[in-house]
Amino acid sequence: QDRVITGLVTDGVSGSGIPGVSILLKNSARGVTSDASGNFKIAVADENGVLVFSSVGYTTQQVSINSRSIINIALSPDTKSLDEVVVVGYGTQKKANVTGSMANFNAKDLDQRPVARVDQALIGQLAGVSVKQTSGTPGKGFSVQVRGSGSISASNEPLYVIDGFPLETSGQNASGGFSTGNPLDNLNPNDIENIQVLKDASSAAIYGSRAANGVVLITTKKGQDSKAKISLNVYSGITKATRMLDMLNAEEWIDRATEMINAQWVASGTGRTASQTTAERRAILKLAGTAVNTSLMLDDRWTQEGHPGLTYIDWQKEAFRTGMVKNYQLSASGGNANVKYYVSGNLLNQDGTTLNTFYKNYSARANVEVKANEKLKFGINLAPSYSEANDPGIEGKDAIIHIVAGMTPVQEANAGLDANTGAFPSYAWSVSRNSPIRQLENNVGLTKNFRTLFSTYVDYELLKGLTFRSSINFDNTDASTKRYSPDWVNGSQTARLNTPGISTSGSFSTLRKQTIVNENTLSYNTTIAKDHDLSTVIGYAYNLTKLATSTMSSAGGFNSSTITTLNAAASVTGNTNETQNVLLSYFGRVQYGFKGKYLLSASLRRDGSSRFGDNNKWGLFPSASVGWRLSEEDFMKNVSAVSELKLRASWGQAGNYNIGDYSSIATLGFANYTFGAAQVGGQSPNRISNPDLTWEKSQTIDVGVDVGFLKNRFTAAFDYYTKKNTDLLLNVPVPLATGFATSLTNIGEVLNQGWEFELTSRNINQGAFQWTTSVNLSHNENKVVHLAPGDAQIYIPSSFDIPHSVLKVGDPMYAFYVVKMTGILSQADIDNKVALYGTQTAGDPKYFDANNDGKIDANDRVYAGKPNPDLIYGITNTLKYKGFDLSVLVQGQTGGSVYSLFGRAVDRTGQGYTDNALGIYRNRWRSAENPGEGLRGKAYSTFGRIKNTDWLWSSDYWRIRNITVGYDLGKIVSKKYLQGARIYATAENWFGADQYKGGWNPDAINTNLSGDASFPQGGDYGGLPLARSIIFGVNLTF
Amino acid sequence: CTDELDQKPISSATTLTFYQSNNDFLQGINSVYASLSGYPDRQLNLSETRSDNLYAVSDGGVRDWEGVNSFHPTLATNPYISEAWSANYSGIFKANTFLDQLAKNGAVITDATLKPRFEAEARYLRAMYYFDLVRWFGKVPLIDKVVSQNEALAIPRSSVADVYKLIISDLQFATQNLPATYTTANVGRATNNAAKSLLALVYMTRSGATYNIEGAGLGVNEWALAYSLLNEVISSGKYSLLPTYPSIFSYTNENNAEVIFDVQFISGGLGLGTTFPVVLAPDTYFTANGLPNQTLTIRPISNDLLNSYATADTRRAFSILSGYTNNGVQETRSFFKKYIDLTKYGKSRTDWPINFITMRYADVLMMKAECILQGGGGTQDEAVTIVNSIRKRAGLGNITSLTLPQLMEERRKEFAGEGTRWHDLVRSGLVEKTITAWIPVEDVLKQMKAFKTDYILYPIPQSELDVKSGLYTQNNGY
């Protein structure tokens, strides 16, 4: 006969209920958890049994039942958190003993946020970790940087390690994508238990040649020794664009077009005046019948009542829509003494905020661990996933959203959104672009990605404390991308009618990436004479990554108007490419602690990589750190307010090996030619060999302090670091007379210095009301210290006009150097012979003559800003009251700039009238009497254009990334049916502001600005706004 | 196990594994030709566009050609100019690599006639690349072997005379070691007559006016050397004037009797087509004719050139299109349509199949006439006869006397849109007078800068000056 015991678990200090306490009947499989108020109810058979109460942050207590039916208990906070362990490279460590700099993100609640990717979840959570959403299309990878960017040309993305499996690193390319896939692709955020970021070299250096950009350790959920817990989480909601770009509306466009056409007309010959009518102008130009010259003549309908035959279109309004997101996750976890399991299935379905964009991810995971006997354990983690993402080609130069912004807002009424598609021609006064809406609807850019992550391991305890572990890990990605754009949304009307199919284009590309990692470690943990804690690990790892890509593209159009596959192409060109690399590693670490007071850790790794030159295949990566827990000293024991005080210092060296697989070898490229009207093969060296080529080295010195006050009610950590990247893999400009523009050399030095501050405060912890605030702040300064011998500055080549970025000793990397726009030229300025660019006249912008030589040219470029922010921050507030909970995450950055080449499309001096212009032109200079705001000059200007501060915008922003309100239904629904039930509503990204008026997203990267692989510089040339969403969800546990 | 660290590229060869057979060397020399692919566009962008043949000064400040046409002093960062420097040096690097490897591993070539031919082909091409450089930039760094980065950092710009020395020695070797003809499968390789014609042009250019700049003209008076080389080419009997002007440029009549050397292209989406037929033509012309966009906006032909054609001149109608309507919008300006055959559009806008003739027989004849006028030999009557043969084909009547400006004016129309105009003006010593007189008449939009003789040369690309301060000095005027 079971008896039911009820009770309340409270915090021994504050007296408030503790939710989520595990209550186990000792020596049985029975267990329950306390509800949101701390109440519990457990059925026991034995009235003399013992209940075990445990909860993270509290000391575990055992209580004998002694025939009682009500047991109220107060748990004392575990101020030392001694047993809390954190994941480190190749092992775990007591949190109290950590001497390196790490940041931890408890990801358990991620399943209640509409977060499609793991990287997205990291935004604003960790000091020193900057996460940028560089694309607004669903499913795309984010850019993650730990402690600034230290590499000029190699990747700045961290190494990701998932359950001990180091995934192949991959850098974001200058077009904002990850050409060989992002390590976090397809990973289901709902399966993540915890994310740990190793920031300093002492914690990261055990990952050697891949650790220079930090290491992100991801731990997935595991089964516990308890009865099965089945959990269903369902959420659904809507998404919208955070904002629109302020462009001129149709009336304003007509106003500007009229002004410009009239000005051109007047300038085009003597005796021509703006007041001449269209008919008069036609006569003067000797044009026949109804012919028009749109540079010199107006459309009479503009000024007619109701503009008959014309329609006004807000193209942005047509391109954007309300998207939706749905997610279903079912998981089961549990186990017994011998087998523990976590099994989950997840379906995410997301429709983007622009037409025809979506991301779907189907994923499953099984983490199973089997204890064969007291010494032997086996485990297997298996995570297959399949995703589909459609991107019709939205972001970047000449892509759809660029055209949406620039498209003429006045069109013929009969064509409307069909402008210049199908049988409709362009409106004569419009840009000749095809309707971006029809392109958006009909273009295909479908990426299908089937990825399997598989790990299996065996643990064998050779002796007490001495464990051997071997694992085999396999990551297989098979992705394909199909692109298709039909004829009828391309080309000109005449082409569509006369040569149908010629403008249809299609391609199909595939990517297979395979990483195989075998790791073998021997670890030994012991305590000698009570006071000496020793923990060591040594190991060997083998790492092989193979990449095979193929691409096929149509050439010369399609022969069918309905078939979208390449069998219908007029002809097909294609190729395949394969590369692989091998990394061999030996590594070891010793951690020593004396009385939990004096802590010491040292590690060493030796990596050999096939990527590097024959003379430098192997490298050594040492690190060391010390810690002193003052709070354990006798003299501190009396200071009761201080519950934790630890000083840390560390030094270490890590590497960056992201330079491509064969960069040290002089390879030959194909340079074919034609003789006798037939192709002949040609090959010549496309690189000079560099047998000395080796990794970038990154040395970090970090000092930090961890403090806790009032029994850890307030905890804080502060770190100061300097990170010196040397032997940079720099494409040093060399005289082109060598045959090459640059040569990849280990040279140059970049310094990142900064501080990080993390604070967690339990502001209120009284009874039913709890309020916790977490703050993280980080500041980073980045500076080029050395470049090639002589330290000559390097102008970053630009695909668009003169360079606007420079690598210069003493300046931040990729600092912006442009001409300064200082106002608008007046006639007095011209008469006073101020410096001019080209044939400037009154009403044109005025520029700063930096070198004072009386003329404006490229030599007047001055430092104007830098891409990286000075300060990034995230603040999370969590409030709980009875069954309700509320959390708010605010995140932002200040101090950085964006130089937007998108300005070239919508904001350039001398821009023609057809392209629409930014709203800032509303208040342009119109005449000396009507000078506008002084930000933009007159519409009709012919002096040309030089890169200047017009396109420089602050990248500062703040966003309320997340607001979640939840309610625990535990009080309403009987425990008989449900262990737990919670409903919640989340607003993601709903509020915020930025200062970027020249585009939609200050973090956007979608266009390769340098066009030069040596100096990858991505920038914004039309990137989507971020999505904001409101979702509702329910979380049921059985 | 550490052997695994020696990974060899799977999808490309390496210098260690290449140059081991006839075929490897064949591929090596072919790659040197491949650097010619940018040559046609470059002549149009830097010679035709610089000259009085085009008035393409303004298009809202976005086009790279605007500063070229209107003599902006800020051209050092212009992409056309960097391309000229980088593509030619890339070709020179390939030639030098090939010659180095030939010296080292040439023994593997089993065909005894092939090795000297290979060397001569490489040296012909190297000379052509250096000659292109010296005409654009004047003094350039002289590199005749593969050099390391550090070596290159110690090589300043050589004197123009030294650059010519290498060009001439390369071409002299080529004239002696290149065959007169090739099998059908090899048509397009350099012949001895191609080398002789180019060498003649080199001598003539060297002999041209100096303008007191360190430019391509040295005033050395080698007209006679050129004259005799040109006579050799003419007397070889391998070439003749085609009966009609259009047939020279016909897509179905490539490698015809007028072609001495050309850059070869084919279409088919192989990456071996070209854009030069359309670079000077406006995009709307193609859309009006039902083709995808080919280019950018129009680079209008100058009124000066349009007005210079005699009414009877049949070359104008073939070379130039005046006016068309696209989508109801009338384009009244004219452009070069000489190389465009809308039915021969390839797989894409970069896939036009027609060859670009860099040296044709009419040019050789008129160069000879020029040598005569410059006192290099022959008689005035011979020169008049030559020009009359050209005029006859164009539907024009005979002339009885000939001055240098008249010859250049005739060349202007014969080679209109072929990228020779600027070089002709510079060589003949007429550039300053011609351009200075032209600008005020043509420039109704008042966009052009006053002409200076410094503008005969282009600036060294800024990126090259930035590599190492003081290694190269910028040309005057920039």
Side-chain angles (χ1 to χ4, degrees):
Chain A
Q1 186 65 39
D2 282 2
R3 64 184 299 153
V4 175
I5 298 168
T6 58
L8 175 67
V9 191
T10 52
D11 183 301
V13 176
S14 69
S16 61
I18 309 171
V21 177
S22 153
I23 299 128
L24 269 177
L25 183 63
K26 205 172 179 181
N27 300 323
S28 83
R30 277 195 195 178
V32 297
T33 49
S34 65
D35 66 12
S37 312
N39 293 305
F40 72 94
K41 187 187 277 187
I42 187 168
V44 297
D46 177 2
E47 62 185 34
N48 292 316
V50 173
L51 291 180
V52 182
F53 294 79
S54 59
S55 180
V56 171
Y58 293 92
T59 314
T60 300
Q61 273 197 41
Q62 302 196 3
V63 178
S64 301
I65 296 172
N66 291 337
S67 311
R68 286 179 291 176
S69 61
I70 297 174
I71 298 177
N72 292 327
I73 175 170
L75 295 182
S76 36
D78 179 3
T79 53
K80 301 188 178 74
S81 293
L82 268 182
D83 295 329
E84 200 179 333
V85 291
V86 293
V87 181
V88 296
Y90 303 99
T92 57
Q93 191 179 9
K94 283 182 195 167
K95 190 175 181 200
N97 288 352
V98 166
T99 47
S101 176
M102 301 182 195
N104 188 285
F105 173 49
N106 187 335
K108 267 195 301 201
D109 294 333
L110 261 189
D111 53 10
Q112 295 165 13
R113 285 180 59 189
V115 165
R117 295 180 54 95
V118 176
D119 30 23
Q120 186 179 0
L122 289 174
I123 294 181
Q125 301 286 1
L126 303 167
V129 181
S130 158
V131 183
K132 287 186 174 187
Q133 182 167 1
T134 53
S135 166
T137 31
K140 292 263 169 79
F142 289 51
S143 160
V144 177
Q145 283 181 16
V146 178
R147 291 186 167 176
S149 40
S151 178
I152 289 169
S153 65
S155 162
N156 279 305
E157 301 286 318
L159 171 71
Y160 293 98
V161 179
I162 178 160
D163 292 328
F165 174 15
L167 303 176
E168 178 71 3
T169 55
S170 103
Q172 187 176 37
N173 62 39
S175 306
F178 292 81
S179 31
T180 61
N182 179 290
L184 300 180
D185 282 345
N186 282 16
L187 283 188
N188 173 13
N190 302 338
D191 284 338
I192 309 297
E193 172 84 27
N194 188 279
I195 295 171
Q196 181 86 18
V197 181
L198 311 181
K199 297 189 289 192
D200 69 338
S202 82
S203 55
I206 194 140
Y207 286 103
S209 61
R210 295 170 292 178
N213 300 323
V215 180
V216 178
L217 304 177
I218 298 169
T219 309
T220 59
K221 291 177 178 166
K222 302 282 187 300
Q224 306 294 333
D225 184 356
S226 70
K227 71 169 192 161
K229 182 179 149 196
I230 295 161
S231 168
L232 174 69
N233 184 27
V234 177
Y235 67 73
S236 168
I238 56 154
T239 62
K240 290 176 92 69
T242 45
R243 69 174 171 91
M244 294 292 119
L245 190 59
D246 180 24
M247 303 294 297
L248 297 183
N249 66 26
E251 298 288 355
E252 292 162 342
W253 177 87
I254 287 174
D255 167 59
R256 176 168 159 276
T258 305
E259 183 182 330
M260 292 177 73
I261 293 169
N262 281 339
Q264 281 181 68
W265 170 248
V266 171
S268 66
T270 48
R272 296 180 176 182
T273 65
S275 59
Q276 281 163 330
T277 64
T278 301
E280 287 166 346
R281 295 183 195 188
R282 184 174 288 128
I284 292 170
L285 290 170
K286 298 192 183 73
L287 294 180
T290 57
V292 291
N293 181 327
T294 54
S295 327
L296 303 174
M297 293 157 70
L298 306 171
D299 186 342
D300 287 335
R301 295 174 291 177
W302 291 346
T303 47
Q304 289 166 13
E305 183 63 29
H307 46 87
L310 295 176
T311 184
Y312 291 177
I313 299 173
D314 180 345
W315 290 97
Q316 288 190 80
K317 209 175 130 195
E318 303 295 335
F320 286 95
R321 65 171 177 191
T322 300
M324 67 91 196
V325 58
K326 288 183 188 142
N327 191 79
Y328 310 90
Q329 160 122 347
L330 185 63
S331 66
S333 67
N336 56 34
N338 298 324
V339 180
K340 289 173 185 144
Y341 62 89
Y342 170 83
V343 182
S344 81
N346 192 86
L347 163 59
L348 171 74
N349 192 349
Q350 197 182 7
D351 279 348
T353 56
T354 42
L355 302 174
N356 199 16
T357 53
F358 62 79
Y359 174 63
K360 296 181 175 128
N361 188 12
Y362 309 85
S363 61
R365 171 170 288 276
N367 290 349
V368 180
E369 189 173 82
V370 178
K371 197 170 169 187
N373 60 42
E374 284 305 311
K375 289 180 178 296
L376 188 61
K377 266 196 299 193
F378 294 96
I380 182 167
N381 295 350
L382 178 63
S385 59
Y386 174 75
S387 68
E388 290 191 358
N390 196 46
D391 173 5
I394 295 192
E395 297 187 305
K397 182 174 189 290
D398 294 324
I400 291 169
I401 208 68
H402 163 182
I403 298 164
V404 162
M407 190 78 182
T408 316
V410 178
Q411 295 289 337
E412 296 284 355
N414 67 343
L417 296 182
D418 288 314
N420 198 15
T421 62
F424 294 100
S426 286
Y427 170 50
W429 280 266
S430 163
V431 289
S432 61
R433 303 277 196 184
N434 306 102
S435 164
I437 303 305
R438 295 292 176 254
Q439 290 211 332
L440 195 51
E441 290 165 339
N442 292 283
N443 286 358
V444 177
L446 184 62
T447 299
K448 299 177 180 178
N449 187 345
F450 181 53
R451 182 181 188 190
T452 306
L453 270 167
F454 173 84
S455 294
T456 178
Y457 58 88
V458 53
D459 264 13
Y460 187 74
E461 192 174 33
L462 298 164
L463 296 167
K464 184 164 166 48
L466 181 67
T467 307
F468 172 75
R469 181 186 174 99
S470 179
S471 68
I472 291 172
N473 308 276
F474 183 52
D475 179 9
N476 186 83
T477 296
D478 277 297
S480 70
T481 300
K482 173 186 176 173
R483 294 190 191 284
Y484 176 76
S485 184
D487 168 76
W488 72 274
V489 297
N490 283 290
S492 66
Q493 180 208 27
T494 348
R496 290 190 294 272
L497 297 177
N498 296 350
T499 49
I502 199 170
S503 303
T504 301
S505 63
S507 72
F508 188 79
S509 53
T510 66
L511 165 81
R512 165 169 285 182
K513 185 160 78 165
Q514 296 173 312
T515 301
I516 298 161
V517 175
N518 166 238
E519 287 182 332
N520 306 287
T521 56
L522 200 58
S523 50
Y524 183 62
N525 299 311
T526 188
T527 304
I528 304 161
K530 274 188 182 172
D531 290 335
H532 306 270
D533 283 317
L534 187 68
S535 169
T536 61
V537 61
I538 55 168
Y540 164 76
Y542 170 86
N543 201 316
L544 168 69
T545 295
K546 294 181 179 194
L547 188 68
T549 56
S550 76
T551 173
M552 287 180 279
S553 307
S554 71
F558 271 54
N559 297 325
S560 162
S561 58
T562 54
I563 301 172
T564 63
T565 50
L566 289 173
N567 56 326
S571 65
V572 175
T573 60
N575 67 63
T576 69
N577 198 288
E578 290 175 39
T579 66
Q580 65 181 38
N581 80 77
V582 172
L583 182 72
L584 303 178
S585 316
Y586 303 89
F587 51 87
R589 179 179 54 213
V590 181
Q591 291 162 320
Y592 169 75
F594 177 68
K595 285 188 167 174
K597 272 192 239 178
Y598 309 108
L599 308 165
L600 228 121
S601 172
S603 73
L604 186 65
R605 182 169 178 126
R606 185 163 183 257
D607 269 350
S609 166
S610 66
R611 287 181 163 176
F612 290 93
D614 284 341
N615 301 342
N616 277 316
K617 285 275 184 223
W618 291 89
L620 267 186
F621 303 92
S623 86
S625 57
V626 293
W628 179 22
R629 293 187 68 213
L630 277 86
S631 47
E632 293 299 297
E633 296 286 0
D634 290 341
F635 60 83
M636 285 295 291
K637 296 267 177 182
N638 300 328
V639 188
S640 61
V642 178
S643 40
E644 171 72 43
L645 179 58
K646 179 165 69 180
L647 301 178
R648 295 178 276 110
S650 74
W651 167 89
Q653 182 168 304
N656 182 348
Y657 85 146
N658 291 299
I659 54 155
D661 285 340
Y662 309 110
S663 299
S664 70
I665 301 171
T667 51
L668 273 74
F670 292 97
N672 299 338
Y673 194 64
T674 308
F675 289 122
Q679 175 177 2
V680 293
Q683 291 189 64
S684 55
N686 56 11
R687 197 188 282 147
I688 298 172
S689 80
N690 181 352
D692 295 326
L693 204 66
T694 186
W695 20 68
E696 291 187 6
K697 290 167 190 66
S698 138
Q699 270 193 51
T700 311
I701 295 171
D702 184 295
V703 290
V705 55
D706 297 331
V707 291
F709 296 105
L710 303 177
K711 301 194 167 143
N712 282 353
R713 187 165 163 191
F714 305 101
T715 59
F718 181 86
D719 278 85
Y720 173 81
Y721 62 88
T722 66
K723 180 166 134 184
K724 192 169 73 170
N725 287 48
T726 53
D727 289 351
L728 294 187
L729 294 161
L730 188 63
N731 285 283
V732 178
V734 298
L736 271 167
T738 57
F740 300 95
T742 59
S743 154
L744 187 60
T745 316
N746 285 103
I747 202 161
E749 185 176 326
V750 167
L751 185 68
N752 281 282
Q753 279 176 303
W755 52 258
E756 292 154 358
F757 176 66
E758 283 186 319
L759 169 76
T760 300
S761 159
R762 286 187 276 157
N763 304 326
I764 299 176
N765 200 353
Q766 285 179 338
F769 187 52
Q770 296 176 38
W771 174 26
T772 308
T773 303
S774 307
V775 177
N776 66 75
L777 290 175
S778 36
H779 164 79
N780 184 69
E781 270 173 56
N782 167 293
K783 189 167 80 174
V784 175
V785 180
H786 283 302
L787 293 164
D791 284 337
Q793 65 184 18
I794 300 174
Y795 273 106
I796 308 304
S798 172
S799 303
F800 311 103
D801 198 346
I802 56 171
H804 60 263
S805 286
V806 75
L807 293 172
K808 187 175 179 184
V809 170
D811 276 351
M813 268 163 58
Y814 292 97
F816 300 125
Y817 270 74
V818 290
V819 174
K820 237 184 197 159
M821 191 274 201
T822 55
I824 308 290
L825 287 167
S826 66
Q827 193 52 48
D829 290 330
I830 309 258
D831 298 341
N832 291 335
K833 303 241 177 290
V834 297
L836 297 181
Y837 178 73
T839 51
Q840 285 186 300
T841 53
D844 283 332
K846 182 155 70 176
Y847 300 121
F848 174 56
D849 184 15
N851 64 357
N852 212 14
D853 65 350
K855 59 182 180 189
I856 303 297
D857 56 22
N859 298 322
D860 293 311
R861 284 172 290 179
V862 291
Y863 177 85
K866 60 189 168 53
N868 286 323
D870 290 325
L871 188 71
I872 59 174
Y873 57 88
I875 302 163
T876 307
N877 276 291
T878 315
L879 292 97
K880 283 190 175 148
Y881 180 70
K882 294 193 172 162
F884 289 96
D885 58 75
L886 167 69
S887 83
V888 181
L889 164 60
V890 181
Q891 177 265 340
Q893 63 181 35
T894 62
S897 299
V898 46
Y899 194 70
S900 168
L901 272 286
F902 189 45
R904 223 174 146 264
V906 292
D907 179 19
R908 69 170 191 269
T909 51
Q911 180 176 318
Y913 70 84
T914 54
D915 280 306
N916 203 3
L918 288 180
I920 194 172
Y921 281 88
R922 214 168 279 130
N923 298 317
R924 64 183 174 272
W925 188 95
R926 288 164 199 259
S927 66
E929 298 72 41
N930 188 3
E933 284 179 332
L935 294 173
R936 291 297 180 267
K938 61 185 173 188
Y940 178 66
S941 81
T942 55
F943 68 91
R945 160 178 66 88
I946 188 160
K947 279 185 174 162
N948 67 82
T949 45
D950 275 358
W951 302 342
L952 185 79
W953 303 94
S954 162
S955 66
D956 293 1
Y957 71 81
W958 64 268
R959 301 211 68 81
I960 300 184
R961 286 281 176 181
N962 178 269
I963 304 175
T964 300
V965 185
Y967 181 69
D968 188 339
L969 292 176
K971 304 204 162 139
I972 304 168
V973 185
S974 159
K975 280 273 190 296
K976 205 153 59 172
Y977 307 110
L978 288 172
Q979 291 253 338
R982 179 170 178 271
I983 53 169
Y984 58 93
T986 293
E988 186 85 7
N989 241 346
W990 202 261
F991 306 100
D994 62 57
Q995 301 177 34
Y996 183 36
K997 304 290 176 262
W1000 286 270
N1001 170 13
D1003 281 344
I1005 295 179
N1006 44 59
T1007 301
N1008 185 344
L1009 300 185
S1010 67
D1012 187 328
S1014 305
F1015 302 103
Q1017 187 190 33
D1020 186 20
Y1021 211 125
L1024 286 177
L1026 304 185
R1028 52 180 170 162
S1029 55
I1030 286 197
I1031 66 145
F1032 297 92
V1034 56
N1035 204 338
L1036 305 175
T1037 316
F1038 304 95
Chain B
C1 193
T2 56
D3 289 351
E4 281 208 58
L5 295 182
D6 293 321
Q7 295 283 331
K8 295 282 174 286
I10 301 165
S11 297
S12 48
T14 74
T15 44
L16 297 176
T17 58
F18 205 68
Y19 305 108
Q20 306 293 335
S21 68
N22 268 0
N23 186 44
D24 286 355
F25 276 100
L26 187 64
Q27 297 218 19
I29 189 67
N30 291 347
S31 77
V32 189
Y33 281 93
S35 288
L36 290 171
S37 65
Y39 186 88
D41 285 26
R42 192 180 313 135
Q43 305 308 312
L44 300 181
N45 287 329
L46 295 183
S47 173
E48 203 76 24
T49 304
R50 189 74 154 169
S51 78
D52 53 353
N53 281 359
L54 296 182
Y55 180 61
V57 291
S58 177
D59 190 25
V62 288
R63 307 300 176 204
D64 292 327
W65 64 71
E66 293 172 28
V68 174
N69 195 216
S70 47
F71 301 104
H72 275 221
T74 53
L75 287 173
T77 52
N78 187 290
Y80 292 151
I81 286 157
S82 340
E83 189 276 343
W85 188 277
S86 96
N88 279 312
Y89 272 111
S90 175
I92 290 164
F93 164 76
K94 288 180 192 171
N96 286 337
T97 304
F98 181 81
L99 291 167
D100 278 5
Q101 292 288 347
L102 198 64
K104 231 190 300 179
N105 287 331
V108 301
I109 298 173
T110 45
D111 183 339
T113 60
L114 222 42
K115 196 177 157 188
R117 190 195 97 190
F118 279 164
E119 182 178 350
E121 284 182 84
R123 292 182 69 175
Y124 170 85
L125 292 167
R126 183 167 71 181
M128 190 162 166
Y129 296 135
Y130 267 118
F131 184 50
D132 202 38
L133 284 170
V134 84
R135 290 203 291 184
W136 304 131
F137 301 107
K139 300 192 297 175
V140 292
L142 190 61
I143 288 170
D144 62 355
K145 60 181 182 4
V146 175
V147 295
S148 72
Q149 166 190 343
N150 287 336
E151 287 168 312
L153 285 170
I155 302 174
R157 297 172 71 187
S158 298
S159 73
V160 171
D162 284 348
V163 178
Y164 274 122
K165 219 179 276 175
L166 179 67
I167 294 172
I168 290 167
S169 95
D170 276 349
L171 286 176
Q172 281 171 341
F173 183 88
T175 59
Q176 287 149 22
N177 290 282
L178 285 172
T181 54
Y182 286 93
T183 57
T184 316
N186 284 302
V187 166
R189 292 186 187 276
T191 61
N192 55 8
N193 283 316
K196 285 174 185 172
S197 314
L198 182 59
L199 182 54
L201 183 60
V202 168
Y203 283 136
M204 290 166 70
T205 306
R206 243 158 76 91
S207 306
T210 63
Y211 302 99
N212 289 319
I213 58 168
E214 292 181 291
L218 298 178
V220 291
N221 196 0
E222 290 169 339
W223 303 102
L225 289 174
Y227 178 79
S228 70
L229 280 166
L230 293 166
N231 269 339
E232 286 178 37
V233 176
I234 293 164
S235 63
S236 76
K238 300 216 176 305
Y239 309 98
S240 60
L241 288 182
L242 297 193
T244 65
Y245 189 69
S247 58
I248 307 166
F249 309 100
S250 164
Y251 281 60
T252 52
N253 193 30
E254 291 184 313
N255 304 310
N256 56 57
E258 198 157 330
V259 179
I260 293 171
F261 189 74
D262 59 5
V263 184
Q264 303 242 325
F265 297 102
I266 49 170
S267 64
L270 303 163
L272 297 173
T274 183
T275 52
F276 83 83
V278 301
V279 293
L280 302 179
D283 51 353
T284 49
Y285 173 67
F286 300 98
T287 53
N289 283 285
L291 284 179
N293 268 358
Q294 298 291 302
T295 48
L296 302 166
T297 47
I298 193 167
R299 280 192 230 183
I301 290 175
S302 68
N303 288 324
D304 190 60
L305 176 59
L306 289 175
N307 296 337
S308 73
Y309 282 94
T311 320
D313 197 329
T314 57
R315 290 173 300 195
R316 173 175 167 161
F318 178 74
S319 302
I320 294 171
L321 184 73
S322 295
Y324 60 90
T325 303
N326 173 49
N327 194 19
V329 179
Q330 207 168 315
E331 176 59 73
T332 51
R333 296 167 292 182
S334 305
F335 68 93
F336 285 118
K337 60 128 192 161
K338 191 172 205 165
Y339 297 102
I340 302 172
D341 178 344
L342 291 175
T343 66
K344 295 298 195 307
Y345 167 71
K347 300 291 183 194
S348 73
R349 53 181 292 276
T350 60
D351 199 36
W352 292 84
I354 191 169
N355 297 345
F356 181 85
I357 306 168
T358 67
M359 182 66 74
R360 63 184 167 98
Y361 192 54
D363 202 357
V364 165
L365 292 175
M366 292 178 97
M367 281 158 61
K368 179 181 172 184
E370 189 177 334
C371 290
I372 294 169
L373 297 183
Q374 296 278 15
T379 65
Q380 169 95 3
D381 281 353
E382 282 179 76
V384 168
T385 309
I386 285 171
V387 171
N388 280 337
S389 68
I390 303 290
R391 284 175 64 86
K392 187 178 167 206
R393 182 168 69 177
L396 299 172
N398 284 347
I399 51 166
T400 51
S401 66
L402 183 67
T403 63
L404 189 63
Q406 280 174 331
L407 176 67
M408 288 300 141
E409 205 46 37
E410 197 60 54
R411 282 187 66 95
R412 185 184 189 189
K413 288 179 272 283
E414 176 68 18
F415 301 110
E418 293 183 42
T420 60
R421 176 65 177 166
W422 187 254
H423 300 313
D424 288 351
L425 284 173
V426 171
R427 184 178 69 243
S428 59
L430 299 171
V431 69
E432 187 176 10
K433 193 174 151 224
T434 308
I435 299 295
T436 311
W438 169 65
I439 290 177
V441 181
E442 188 84 40
D443 185 26
V444 290
L445 295 173
K446 304 283 177 262
Q447 300 274 318
M448 299 183 77
K449 304 276 179 189
F451 179 77
K452 294 194 278 188
T453 49
D454 288 334
Y455 296 161
I456 288 168
L457 293 176
Y458 283 110
I460 305 297
Q462 188 62 40
S463 56
E464 294 306 292
L465 297 180
D466 290 342
V467 167
K468 185 184 167 191
S469 159
L471 177 60
Y472 308 139
T473 46
Q474 184 56 283
N475 283 334
N476 286 335
Y478 296 100

